[in-house]
């Protein structure tokens, strides 16, 4: 009798284990995403999650999993947990995850890590980022033409090189179509606080700007612009639904193609650790459709510049580039080096406002 | 442009930015006056913001949205009431749990409503009053929910200090045994105050999603519930001082932004620090004054009441 019991127990245990083993031997490649914010932030994290969904739609052999609102202190544990569940590729989408990624990667040489916005790599850790400054430059061309007073406001999140680069690129575009224009910067000092963002935009309107732009994780600036009937340039997504009559365009993220490419390389065994910096050419960033109020000569100019950027004939930051004091920082005919771009800590001529300095 | 021309817009911004915090602070004053500390303000505001947005989006009426937020905030606070009053649980733990619950619940239920536009309250300049110099643009060219606080604050003060209800609330918060002996139902008064607090927190949240901005985004209160809890102390549990505190909070923030927008050469880090520096200074001053005048927290604050023997 006793033997029977064991046999039944073994059989039951076997039945429990069986689907698990079958599953593990299945052909699905498990890919994990770690997010700093909620997928509902309507900004950075949302854009990565759209990329994740695109990846799952495009490659049938991929199964994705994600963890949202992961604090830096928790990320090591979250990644270990993912690996325990069989995840073979991890996308860590916040700068602050850098050291934890390297630590976990060293313990799991068979897992591949991709770290967004970071600069430290290892054998199984690559880094990636997109050049949002390219569409922001094009948006600047539009803004320069559409602002009557040449007084433009920019609601800015936090003073890091990425944001400074974007404000500079936007200003370069603005000054190309309106050489006398200025771009006023107000720091919200937060990626995400809709009420405070709105107040920052309002303060810019109060000092007299007649066009707004922003790089926040909410559409509060666009809404305020719509209420005041002032033209606006959106960020992260096409935000025209928040102000169809005033939304000129937006600089938008499109991570999907990059995620597909990386996972394809992993699958094919051709993946290697590198720093991927993609732009409009590869389709990781784009300019949202121009609003109906944008005249055709501006449309043509934007299209021309876009093609020049895509073909590599034009770089956003080429000399002569002056800083706010009028000093030439990049001489005529010279382009900025990648390290200079990645560490950009000065505003170009035409920007009104300061970068908080230590 | 000089700073003088910006006084009016900065003050108008102060009132606007202070209003959501003011609603929540008023509510928390009632809860704490009756002896119940509710740290769930942030959670109740978030649920209020979501419910108001969803109802406004579905019905097209921000008024219905705010009414729904009022109900939702009230209902949510009943959880705290049940735990803290009936079951005599630790109020700090129960309140924190409510905030965590409200944050999670609103985030989960709100996923479908991200990036969806909706109707909102618009500024409604009042006739005559709105035309007054200085006070007109500062106070009377706001939206209806702002005007409502102009009535609500004096009403709350009158109720607390001049009515029998107010006396009962304060008695329950200071000395529940004595109040009980006088025939006041301690539990009922506390439930009423906590529910009122939840309702007002809900409206404060609704202000963010249907008046300040017309959108729902996870965590959109960005810590304003906690500022409300701190303002209660700054206001020494007094509605009129809560109004002053809320506007100060809004004003310092707005001033800092306007100085930046003007292209000032003041160090930006200093500007970004001002709201926090200001909070510390004001808190020190307020505490010194309360110590001098011997005004403190309600004596029975955060102590569950058990009828003895």
């Amino acid at each position: 009798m006793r033997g029977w019991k064991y046999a039944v127990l073994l059989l039951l245990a076997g039945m429990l284990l069986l689907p698990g083993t079958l599953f593990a031997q299945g052909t699905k490649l498990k890919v994990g995403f770690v997010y700093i914010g909620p997928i509902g932030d309507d900004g950075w994290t949302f854009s990565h999650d759209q990329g994740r969904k695109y990846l799952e739609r495009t490659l049938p052999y991929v199964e994705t999993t994600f963890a949202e609102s992961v604090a830096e202190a928790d990320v090591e544990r979250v990644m270990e947990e993912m690996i325990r569940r069989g995840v073979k590729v991890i996308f860590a989408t916040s700068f602050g995850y850098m050291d934890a990624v390297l630590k976990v990667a060293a313990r799991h040489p068979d897992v591949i890590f991709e770290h967004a916005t970071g600069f430290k790599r290892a054998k199984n850790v690559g880094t990636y980022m997109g050049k949002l400054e390219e569409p922001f430059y094009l948006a600047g061309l539009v803004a320069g033409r559409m602002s009557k007073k040449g007084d433009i406001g920019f609601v800015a999140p936090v003073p890091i090189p990425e944001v400074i680069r974007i404000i500079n690129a936007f200003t370069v575009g603005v000054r190309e179509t309106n050489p006398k224009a200025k771009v006023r910067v107000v720091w919200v000092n937060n990626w995400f606080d809709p009420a405070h963002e709105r107040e920052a935009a309002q303060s810019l309107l109060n000092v007299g700007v007649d066009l707004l732009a922003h790089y926040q994780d909410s559409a509060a600036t666009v809404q305020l612009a719509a209420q005041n009937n002032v033209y606006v340039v959106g960020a992260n997504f096409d935000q025209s639904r928040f102000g169809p009559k005033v939304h000129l365009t937006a600089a938008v993220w499109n991570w999907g193609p990059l995620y597909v490419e990386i996972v394809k390389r992993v699958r094919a065994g051709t993946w290697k650790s590198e720093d991927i910096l993609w732009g409009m050419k590869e389709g990781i960033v784009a300019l949202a459709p121009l609003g109906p109020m944008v005249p055709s000569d501006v449309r043509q100019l934007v299209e021309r510049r876009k093609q020049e950027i895509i073909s590599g004939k034009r770089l956003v930051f080429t000399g002569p580039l002056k800083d706010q004091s009028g000093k030439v920082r990049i001489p005529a005919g010279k382009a900025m080096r990648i390290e200079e771009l990645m560490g950009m800590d000065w505003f170009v001529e035409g920007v009104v406002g300061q970068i908080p300095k230590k | 442009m000089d700073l003088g021309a910006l006084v009016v817009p900065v003050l108008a911004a102060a009132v606007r930015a202070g209003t959501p915090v003011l609603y929540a602070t008023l509510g928390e004053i009632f809860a704490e006056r009756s002896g119940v500390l509710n740290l769930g303000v942030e959670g109740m505001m978030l649920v209020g913001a979501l419910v108001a947005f969803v109802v406004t989006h579905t019905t097209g009426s921000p008024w219905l949205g705010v009414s729904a937020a009022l109900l939702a905030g009230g209902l949510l606070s009943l959880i705290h009431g049940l735990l803290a009053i009936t079951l005599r649980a630790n109020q700090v733990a129960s309140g924190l749990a409510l905030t965590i619950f409200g944050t999670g619940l609103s985030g989960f239920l709100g996923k479908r409503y991200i990036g969806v536009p909706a109707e909102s309250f618009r500024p409604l300049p009042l006739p005559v009053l709105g035309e007054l110099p200085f006070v007109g643009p500062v106070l009377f060219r706001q939206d209806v929910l702002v005007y409502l606080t102009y009535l609500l604050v004096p009403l709350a003060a009158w109720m607390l200090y001049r009515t029998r209800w107010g006396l009962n609330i304060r008695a329950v918060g200071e000395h529940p045994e004595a109040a009980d002996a006088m025939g006041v139902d301690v539990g009922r008064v506390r439930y009423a105050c906590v529910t009122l607090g939840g309702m007002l927190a809900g409206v404060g949240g609704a202000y963010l999603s249907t008046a300040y901005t017309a959108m729902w985004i996870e965590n959109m209160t960005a810590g304003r519930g906690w500022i409300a809890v701190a303002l209660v102390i700054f206001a020494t549990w007094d509605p009129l001082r809560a109004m002053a505190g809320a506007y100060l909070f809004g004003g310092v923030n707005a001033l800092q932004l306007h100085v930046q927008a003007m292209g000032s050469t003041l160090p930006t880090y200093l500007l970004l620090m001002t709201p926090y520096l200001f909070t510390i200074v004001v808190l020190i001053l307020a505490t010194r004054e309360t110590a001098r005048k011997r005004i403190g927290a309600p004596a029975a604050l955060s102590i569950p009441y058990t009828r003895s023997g």
Side-chain angles (χ1 to χ4, degrees):
Chain A
M1 281 306 277
R2 224 183 144 94
W4 270 107
K5 265 190 194 166
Y6 277 115
V8 169
L9 269 176
L10 270 174
L11 197 67
L12 278 173
M15 281 168 80
L16 278 172
L17 281 172
L18 202 61
T21 25
L22 275 180
F23 199 65
Q25 285 166 349
T27 48
K28 289 252 177 186
L29 175 62
K30 285 195 184 180
V31 180
F33 288 78
V34 190
Y35 304 137
I36 185 81
I39 55 173
D41 69 353
D42 214 7
W44 177 257
T45 294
F46 183 71
S47 74
H48 285 284
D49 201 55
Q50 295 295 105
R52 177 186 69 82
K53 287 179 180 158
Y54 177 87
L55 169 67
E56 203 159 59
R57 272 201 312 274
T58 314
L59 300 180
Y61 56 79
V62 167
E63 184 190 321
T64 66
T65 173
F66 69 91
E68 56 181 333
S69 300
V70 178
E72 280 164 29
D74 287 337
V75 68
E76 199 177 328
R77 179 183 58 75
V78 169
M79 287 189 294
E80 286 286 355
E81 177 68 28
M82 280 185 171
I83 293 166
R84 204 157 39 237
R85 282 186 286 140
V87 167
K88 290 292 172 207
V89 183
I90 291 182
F91 290 97
T93 63
S94 181
F95 181 79
Y97 294 162
M98 186 150 59
D99 293 331
V101 166
L102 289 163
K103 230 161 114 184
V104 178
R107 284 199 290 263
H108 301 277
D110 58 322
V111 178
I112 283 163
F113 296 80
E114 281 283 355
H115 180 215
T117 74
F119 57 80
K120 289 187 193 164
R121 283 169 291 280
K123 205 155 187 225
N124 56 337
V125 181
T127 50
Y128 66 101
M129 184 54 188
K131 293 186 263 188
L132 200 65
E133 55 267 32
E134 290 179 352
F136 254 114
Y137 156 73
L138 297 178
L141 294 172
V142 180
R145 262 299 301 275
M146 300 304 283
S147 163
K148 288 200 177 64
K149 291 159 78 180
D151 197 347
I152 294 169
F154 200 110
V155 180
V158 290
I160 57 172
E162 178 202 346
V163 176
I164 293 164
R165 218 159 50 231
I166 278 168
I167 294 168
N168 283 340
F170 178 73
T171 309
V172 167
V174 164
R175 304 263 288 189
E176 188 177 326
T177 48
N178 185 352
K180 284 187 188 137
K182 55 188 173 204
V183 176
R184 295 175 189 268
V185 173
V186 168
W187 297 106
V188 171
N189 211 25
N190 208 333
W191 286 101
F192 175 77
D193 181 344
H196 200 51
E197 290 165 27
R198 188 208 123 115
E199 214 50 81
Q202 181 67 58
S203 74
L204 285 160
L205 291 181
N206 288 346
V207 299
V209 308
D210 68 350
L211 196 150
L212 287 167
H214 78 95
Y215 184 40
Q216 298 289 147
D217 278 348
S218 96
T221 305
V222 180
Q223 279 192 347
L224 186 79
Q227 266 182 36
N228 289 276
N229 214 13
V230 165
Y231 288 138
V232 67
V233 169
N236 292 315
F237 286 94
D238 185 334
Q239 296 175 316
S240 53
R241 62 184 182 280
F242 287 103
K245 291 196 187 113
V246 295
H247 189 268
L248 296 172
T249 182
V252 302
W253 290 112
N254 181 29
W255 299 102
L258 174 72
Y259 288 152
V260 167
E261 177 62 26
I262 289 173
V263 172
K264 270 185 181 165
R265 286 181 193 173
V266 172
R267 180 77 164 189
T270 56
W271 184 91
K272 58 185 194 310
S273 164
E274 60 180 322
D275 182 36
I276 299 173
L277 184 61
W278 281 10
M280 294 188 80
K281 185 174 149 222
E282 296 86 355
I284 195 173
V285 290
L287 193 69
L290 299 175
M293 68 298 271
V294 179
S296 64
D297 61 321
V298 184
R299 289 172 183 274
Q300 283 160 15
L301 175 69
V302 168
E303 189 53 36
R304 212 160 54 234
R305 293 284 180 261
K306 186 173 130 188
Q307 293 311 327
E308 287 171 7
I309 285 174
I310 289 175
S311 68
K313 271 206 302 218
R314 173 174 286 267
L315 295 169
V316 174
F317 296 110
T318 38
L321 269 185
K322 290 180 188 170
D323 66 14
Q324 282 173 302
S325 67
K327 196 177 103 189
V328 178
R329 294 290 282 256
I330 308 297
K334 276 194 94 177
M336 284 182 82
R337 283 180 296 123
I338 185 90
E339 306 84 63
E340 287 174 323
L341 281 170
M342 289 301 120
M344 205 169 202
D345 62 350
W346 51 279
F347 275 145
V348 296
E349 192 175 39
V351 177
V352 178
Q354 293 177 74
I355 299 164
K357 290 254 156 68
K358 272 172 212 126
Chain B
M1 182 175 283
D2 65 329
L3 203 58
L6 288 177
V7 171
V8 167
V10 167
L11 290 179
V15 172
R16 202 163 48 228
T19 297
V21 185
L22 178 57
Y23 272 109
T25 309
L26 275 182
E28 184 68 7
I29 284 178
F30 273 94
E32 292 194 17
R33 279 282 187 172
S34 79
V36 182
L37 176 71
N38 189 353
L39 297 182
V41 184
E42 179 88 355
M44 297 188 295
M45 279 181 89
L46 274 170
V47 170
L50 173 67
V51 168
F53 182 80
V54 171
V55 171
T56 308
H57 171 74
T58 337
T59 65
S61 159
W63 278 114
L64 280 179
V66 169
S67 316
L70 189 94
L71 275 178
L75 280 176
L76 207 59
S77 68
L78 282 178
I79 300 177
H80 185 64
L82 181 73
L83 288 168
I85 304 167
T86 309
L87 301 175
R88 300 186 183 87
N90 180 306
Q91 295 182 2
V92 174
S94 161
L96 285 175
L98 191 60
T99 282
I100 296 166
F101 175 66
T103 310
L105 185 72
S106 60
F108 175 68
L109 297 177
K111 288 220 189 306
R112 281 177 49 213
Y113 295 93
I114 290 155
V116 183
E119 262 311 303
S120 69
F121 288 101
R122 295 292 163 95
L124 183 81
L126 292 182
V128 190
L129 286 173
E131 300 307 317
L132 292 173
F134 194 73
V135 283
V138 172
L139 294 177
F140 301 113
R141 290 188 206 160
Q142 307 275 9
D143 54 73
V144 184
L145 290 183
V146 173
Y147 300 146
L148 216 60
T149 57
Y150 300 163
L151 303 175
L152 207 59
V153 169
L155 186 74
W158 175 75
M159 205 183 131
L160 267 183
Y161 301 124
R162 294 275 179 273
T163 65
R164 181 147 203 101
W165 283 353
L167 187 67
N168 285 350
I169 292 171
R170 286 183 292 140
V172 164
E174 292 293 342
H175 205 304
E177 291 81 6
D180 196 6
M182 298 280 292
V184 179
D185 188 333
V186 174
R188 233 167 82 183
V189 169
R190 286 190 168 178
Y191 260 106
C193 286
V194 168
T195 311
L196 180 64
M199 289 167 130
L200 288 174
V203 176
Y207 188 82
L208 291 171
S209 64
T210 60
Y212 218 141
T213 59
M215 65 169 87
W216 161 254
I217 291 187
E218 267 188 76
N219 251 328
M220 71 182 301
T221 49
R224 281 175 182 75
W226 295 109
I227 289 169
V229 172
L231 272 181
V232 172
I233 303 166
F234 165 73
T236 58
W237 295 266
D238 177 71
L240 288 170
R241 288 184 62 143
M243 195 173 202
Y247 291 170
L248 270 178
F249 159 77
V252 175
N253 261 317
L255 179 68
Q256 176 266 112
L257 292 171
H258 280 84
V259 171
Q260 282 197 59
M262 279 169 53
S264 146
T265 48
L266 287 171
T268 312
Y269 266 130
L270 196 71
L271 290 175
L272 294 175
M273 253 168 23
T274 41
Y276 308 100
L277 279 180
F278 189 79
T279 312
I280 294 171
V281 171
V282 163
L283 213 57
I284 292 170
L285 293 178
T287 330
R288 283 186 51 170
E289 198 199 328
T290 47
R292 191 166 52 82
K293 289 192 184 163
R294 294 170 190 281
I295 327 168
L301 182 61
S302 85
I303 305 166
Y305 177 63
T306 322
R307 188 177 279 184
S308 49

